[in-house]
Amino acid sequence: MDVGFLVFGLAGLLTLVCFMPPLAGRLKLPYSVLLAIVGCLLGIVIHLHGWAPSWIGDFLDSLERFEISSETFLMVFLPVLLFETALSMNVRRLMDDIGPILMMAIVAVVVCTLVVGVTLDAISSYGLVVCLLLGAIVATTDPVAVVGIFREVGAPKRLTTLVEGESLFNDAASIALYSVLGGHGELSVSGVFNDFVVHFIGGGVAGFAMGRLACFLFAWLRGFPTAEITLTLTLAYLSFFISEHYLNVSGVVATVIAGLVVGSTGRTRMSPTTFEYLSSAWEQFGFWANSLIFLFAAMLIPKLMAAADWQELALVAVLFVATLAARAIVVFGLLPLLGLTRLGTKVSRPYKVVMLWGGLRGAVSLALALAVTEQTGVPEEARQFIAVATTAFVLITLFVNGISLRPLIRMLGLNQLSPVERTIRNQALAVALEDLQGKTDDLAKTEHIGSEVRDRIRAVFDASLASVHDGQVGQMSDEQRVAVGLAIVAQREEEMFFDILKAQIVDWRMAESLLARAERLEDAIRLGGVEGFENAIVADVRYSTGFRLALRVHYLFGFQGWLAHELGQRFANLMSKRSVAQRLILFTREQITPLLGEEATLRIVSLHQRRLDLIENAMQALNLQYPQYAQWLQESYLGRVARELERIRYRDMLEQFLISGEVYADLMSQLQSRWSHIDRHPPLDIELSAADLIKRVPLFEGLSADSLRAISKLLKPRLALPDQRVLTKGRHGEEMCFVASGAVAVHLPDNTMIELGSGEFFGELGLLGEQQIAPDVTSLGYCKLLMLSSRDFHALLARDEHLRERIQVVAKQRLRAIEVWKQFSQASQAEAAATPVAAPVPAPSAAAAAEAAEAAGEERREEAAAKVATKDEAKDVTAKDARAIGSEAVVVRQVDGAEDARQATDRSAQSGATPGEPGLQSR
């Protein structure tokens, strides 16, 4: 065929397609139905065009000479259709309904194949295999017409997701069954099942791998939108072809999964403007592919139906009833059973009715039927029957189900907003019209427009405002308003994170993490309302899985690089979240108040303020331990914002023709050079070298360099997280710890607490066999510890006599402190038992309790010091070891003064002690 006529034919078809959408809208027909009508007419006219002018005749001749095979449909058009649908889907919404979707995509295909095969085999002579093959061909659904109707009438998004999700995967199931039944091998249940498993899982793995590879390559193509969009187009075809021809797995599933991967993670990997262009480009690709595949398939209908007889048409009627019954079995029988499991989600009856009637068939079924006609191994009579039955069945679903689907949706009320949505719509309309009315009046005054004209325009606003007064937001309950407001703010948060990505304030890796957390927060609000939000904000400041794995690797193998990277990422994430949280509170006060009212807004602000406090507390703990890195992050953040503001300013000057394109390019080049230093990300030094940390422990002062090197080899550095248990009851006697930086809290059995700061140690009593109590020890903020095992501890004491003496002196002093604590506890218990219950003593004030506790502590400190001074070993106590006497007094004072313990707890809370991440306490 001449290339010029080929181009002429395709251009003519696309020109014809341009007028189809507006024509379908005027005729109130689904777009796919109109394409089928036009395609059938073209299929007839191309054989009867002797009357036409030469240029029309040449156009029709070029169409007639098109060699449209089943492989053309499957290889040229299907990958584009699948990838375009997958790219536009919300993966999280898809996963929410993955149970019903897979039920309709896989189980429904199998049920339809069996019902059609058994039914037609019982009333025809074509044989079970041929009837099963026909059942597999007509089992695949085409969502294009259905989704188009959904968008026209405003059907719920979830219903659209269910139908589109089904169509994405049931093509793979149908083609897999077709491949098995159309082969020449021996059929078996196990063979069919294995083919399903291999095709689906293998195709999914292949598609995921190729999708992730493409996302990795996007980083190399950033800044070149045309190259990035071209890569997505090649990905659609390569994932399909490589999976089918080289990996022998489902190309349909591979293409779908690749599209879902790019759709979910691609917008963070591509340059910010590319993803906005990408959806428009793929919408265009999908429009071309869908229009051409329907036209070409419909043009084959006259040829396929030419030899149809009444017996075959009667079987088509039975086929239609059988497929409808099979679909009803799944929708009304199996879906409710799935709802009883963890994979199931509730699907309402109106949704089920639309899913039952909306199972339209389209071009894929026609392509598979055409493939059967091309197989010489299938008997001629069977090929003719499959071609006629499939074509007629597709036409029935398009013209009967497709045309009646719109009235059905309206009859079920699925095109109407819920009461809450309707109230929000009315309130939004009232707020917008009131604002616009004022602006219109100001404009009229500025432009000197007459009062008569202004009155007529004002009358339009007044009439619209009067129509929505009955749907004010006051009709909603407080909980509904707060839940709606939280959902709005959550969606705004997701867009804010994407905006800071476009402004290059964060990189794609961090943006990916932030967007994922924002989506989880939105899901929590949608499922749990206010309670879900409160749980989600606590989970949002917890450590990521990667951080916990890095910490575990650090504990086991001493590897610090991964932990430092994760700690730096957490630092930067918290800073970005804090910035967005502050802006969200401002957004809520300005935008949510007129929409939902003052009361609901105040509660939403209080909830987000609590979230901001949690983020601030988590950041405070990091700032105290790593102040230099915190300062660099602040500099980097401010520099990136300044760079974006400068870029926006230059762009505005260019659009206002204040500067030329050449000047703009030079300014942008200078901008990149000026701010290049803020993109250099210094690693976070977590300072966990044993040789450096050992110098911060006073106990090791005065030791020789060789002794310090030997000791540092025995000590294992460990980073303790805020509120993390360092030494629990079950681990006493196994190791001791030195606090190199930060502070820890020792929790005594009577619920009081003492603090140990930098340079102090604990756990030595258990290693010496003198453990009388087993308190829990937790970290206050980020704490750098040096851990010494029991074996190394005894080896160290045996080797260094001077160090052994120092530790033994401190241990004896602490044992005496414990004895004093026990005596005081027993005396307190006896005094409490002897106190009459009928004569309660008024509780002292906080100030009085504090003074009494301090006086008691002072008296016991003097007694303890006197006792130590009378002992022979007191002469060996050095100035550095005397700090243990202070710790003894702290024990006595904490035990004796309950108010002191309460004040310590209050100080902990004020310094940022939150669940999972308290701040450091000043010593």
Side-chain angles (χ1 to χ4, degrees), residues 880-893:
K880 292 182 290 295
D881 298 328
R883 301 179 73 251
I885 302 177
S887 67
E888 175 187 349
V890 170
V891 173
V892 177
R893 176 168 50 97

Side-chain angles (χ1 to χ4, degrees), residues 380-608:
E380 176 66 26
E381 183 181 2
R383 283 184 284 168
Q384 169 67 20
F385 168 64
I386 290 176
V388 170
T390 303
T391 305
F393 177 73
V394 169
L395 290 176
I396 291 175
T397 61
L398 287 175
F399 286 99
V400 176
N401 299 54
I403 293 177
S404 61
L405 188 59
R406 185 185 287 107
L408 177 64
I409 292 176
R410 291 199 178 103
M411 183 181 68
L412 295 173
L414 293 177
N415 62 326
Q416 299 177 359
L417 296 175
S418 67
V420 172
E421 291 173 328
R422 191 161 52 249
T423 303
I424 293 297
R425 178 206 62 188
N426 292 340
Q427 186 68 14
L429 181 61
V431 171
L433 290 181
E434 289 174 357
D435 182 53
L436 291 175
Q437 189 175 26
K439 291 182 178 180
T440 305
D441 290 340
D442 294 339
L443 179 63
K445 293 177 182 178
T446 304
E447 301 291 337
H448 304 291
I449 297 175
S451 59
E452 185 178 351
V453 175
R454 279 187 289 173
D455 291 340
R456 286 200 295 265
I457 296 299
R458 190 181 298 114
V460 175
F461 287 116
D462 291 339
S464 301
L465 286 171
S467 66
V468 299
H469 278 329
D470 294 336
Q472 294 303 313
V473 74
Q475 299 177 3
M476 298 170 58
S477 67
D478 292 340
E479 288 297 323
Q480 286 178 324
R481 281 184 286 169
V482 173
V484 169
L486 288 174
I488 294 173
V489 176
Q491 293 174 347
R492 178 60 183 151
E493 178 180 356
E494 188 174 347
E495 288 305 313
M496 281 185 177
F497 281 134
F498 191 57
D499 288 341
I500 65 175
L501 171 64
K502 290 193 292 185
Q504 300 181 17
I505 297 176
V506 298
D507 58 15
W508 63 266
R509 294 180 182 85
M510 189 181 303
E512 202 169 82
S513 172
L514 293 172
L515 286 170
R517 297 237 177 183
E519 289 175 351
R520 284 195 288 270
L521 180 62
E522 185 179 352
D523 290 343
I525 295 171
R526 182 170 52 86
L527 297 175
V530 175
E531 184 180 356
F533 176 81
E534 291 176 336
N535 294 332
I537 61 175
V538 174
D540 189 46
V541 296
R542 289 178 185 154
Y543 301 97
S544 65
T545 303
F547 186 96
R548 295 183 182 279
L549 289 175
L551 189 66
R552 176 58 57 186
V553 170
H554 165 64
Y555 286 171
L556 295 177
F557 307 106
F559 182 67
Q560 301 178 15
W562 186 11
L563 179 61
H565 171 75
E566 290 292 335
L567 198 60
Q569 285 292 107
R570 175 174 174 79
F571 216 144
N573 280 354
L574 288 172
M575 191 166 187
S576 298
K577 289 176 184 177
R578 181 180 63 180
S579 174
V580 169
Q582 291 170 340
R583 291 159 56 192
L584 285 175
I585 292 176
L586 182 62
F587 168 81
T588 302
R589 288 173 174 155
E590 293 179 351
Q591 303 296 332
I592 302 299
T593 302
L595 193 64
L596 297 175
E598 185 70 28
E599 184 178 350
T601 301
L602 289 176
R603 190 173 177 194
I604 295 171
V605 168
S606 67
L607 288 171
H608 276 275

Side-chain angles (χ1 to χ4, degrees), residues 665-843:
D666 184 70
L667 289 173
M668 292 300 295
S669 176
Q670 293 184 23
L671 179 145
Q672 294 296 336
S673 176
R674 184 181 305 114
W675 298 106
S676 60
H677 67 281
I678 63 175
D679 292 324
R680 291 191 290 269
H681 197 292
L684 172 62
D685 184 8
I686 57 178
E687 302 173 348
L688 287 179
S689 170
D692 295 332
L693 294 179
I694 197 175
K695 300 175 182 177
R696 305 182 185 181
V697 182
L699 186 68
F700 299 124
E701 290 182 4
L703 298 181
S704 64
D706 293 338
S707 298
L708 290 176
R709 279 194 297 271
I711 295 173
S712 64
K713 293 180 181 180
L714 300 178
L715 298 174
K716 295 181 180 179
R718 175 179 294 181
L719 179 66
L721 306 181
D723 208 31
Q724 178 184 350
R725 287 189 173 185
V726 178
L727 195 61
T728 57
K729 295 179 181 179
R731 293 171 54 193
H732 288 283
E734 297 180 5
E735 58 187 354
M736 71 172 294
C737 304
F738 298 90
V739 183
S741 177
V744 297
V746 181
H747 302 273
L748 298 176
D750 63 347
N751 296 324
T752 58
M753 179 187 73
I754 63 173
E755 298 177 20
L756 299 178
S758 299
E760 299 188 78
F761 55 89
F762 54 93
E764 79 288 348
L765 295 180
L767 299 183
L768 292 172
E770 300 289 347
Q771 188 71 47
Q772 299 187 21
I773 60 174
D776 284 343
V777 182
T778 58
S779 175
L780 299 174
Y782 289 91
C783 190
K784 300 170 186 175
L785 305 175
L786 293 171
M787 313 299 291
L788 185 64
S789 67
S790 175
R791 184 185 62 180
D792 294 335
F793 172 78
H794 291 291
L796 181 61
L797 295 189
R799 183 171 54 192
D800 196 321
E801 181 179 355
H802 184 60
L803 183 62
R804 182 176 67 250
E805 291 177 354
R806 294 184 179 185
I807 293 179
Q808 287 177 345
V809 168
V810 176
K812 291 179 181 179
Q813 293 166 357
R814 290 183 174 177
L815 287 173
R816 286 196 296 273
I818 293 173
E819 185 64 30
V820 172
W821 170 76
K822 287 183 176 180
Q823 294 175 1
F824 180 81
S825 298
Q826 294 172 358
S828 299
Q829 293 174 1
E831 182 180 355
T835 301
V837 180
V841 179

Side-chain angles (χ1 to χ4, degrees), residues 361-393:
R361 272 61 170 184
V364 175
S365 294
L366 292 176
L368 294 178
L370 181 63
V372 173
T373 63
E374 298 169 355
Q375 293 185 14
T376 57
V378 179
E380 176 66 26
E381 183 181 2
R383 283 184 284 168
Q384 169 67 20
F385 168 64
I386 290 176
V388 170
T390 303
T391 305
F393 177 73

Side-chain angles (χ1 to χ4, degrees), residues 9 51 186 200 202 208 277 335 505 566 571 598 747 852 860:
W51 51 269
E186 182 178 354
F200 268 82
F208 180 81
Y277 300 148
L335 274 184
I505 297 176
E566 290 292 335
F571 216 144
E598 185 70 28
H747 302 273
R860 286 172 172 77

Side-chain angles (χ1 to χ4, degrees), residues 186-369:
E186 182 178 354
L187 296 180
S188 65
V189 175
S190 61
V192 174
F193 177 78
N194 291 335
D195 192 75
F196 260 118
V197 173
V198 172
H199 271 68
F200 268 82
I201 297 180
V205 172
F208 180 81
M210 285 185 272
R212 296 296 293 185
L213 177 61
C215 290
F216 172 78
L217 295 176
F218 286 143
W220 292 76
L221 302 176
R222 287 178 69 89
F224 299 93
T226 52
E228 292 174 291
I229 294 175
T230 302
L231 180 60
T232 62
L233 183 62
T234 59
L235 175 63
Y237 284 106
L238 290 177
S239 59
F240 189 92
F241 186 81
I242 291 175
S243 299
E244 288 282 348
H245 287 267
Y246 294 104
L247 303 179
N248 295 320
V249 295
S250 174
V252 173
V253 175
T255 304
V256 168
I257 298 300
L260 292 174
V261 169
V262 172
S264 60
T265 63
R267 70 172 180 169
T268 59
R269 306 296 180 90
M270 299 176 180
S271 54
T273 55
T274 300
F275 196 82
E276 298 176 359
Y277 300 148
L278 184 67
S279 58
S280 300
W282 270 99
E283 186 177 357
Q284 185 67 65
F285 297 155
F287 174 75
W288 289 340
N290 176 64
S291 301
L292 290 178
I293 194 174
F294 252 100
L295 282 178
F296 285 135
M299 287 167 59
L300 297 174
I301 289 176
K303 175 184 175 182
L304 295 175
M305 294 293 294
D309 55 30
W310 289 106
Q311 181 181 359
E312 291 174 337
L313 295 179
L315 291 176
V316 170
V318 176
L319 173 64
F320 178 76
V321 174
T323 54
L324 205 61
R327 195 167 179 83
I329 292 173
V330 177
V331 171
F332 291 99
L334 298 182
L335 274 184
L337 295 178
L338 182 66
L340 301 177
T341 66
R342 296 182 61 183
L343 292 176
T345 55
K346 185 177 180 181
V347 180
S348 65
R349 181 170 292 273
Y351 279 28
K352 292 177 183 177
V353 173
V354 174
M355 292 170 66
L356 170 65
W357 194 248
L360 277 64
R361 272 61 170 184
V364 175
S365 294
L366 292 176
L368 294 178

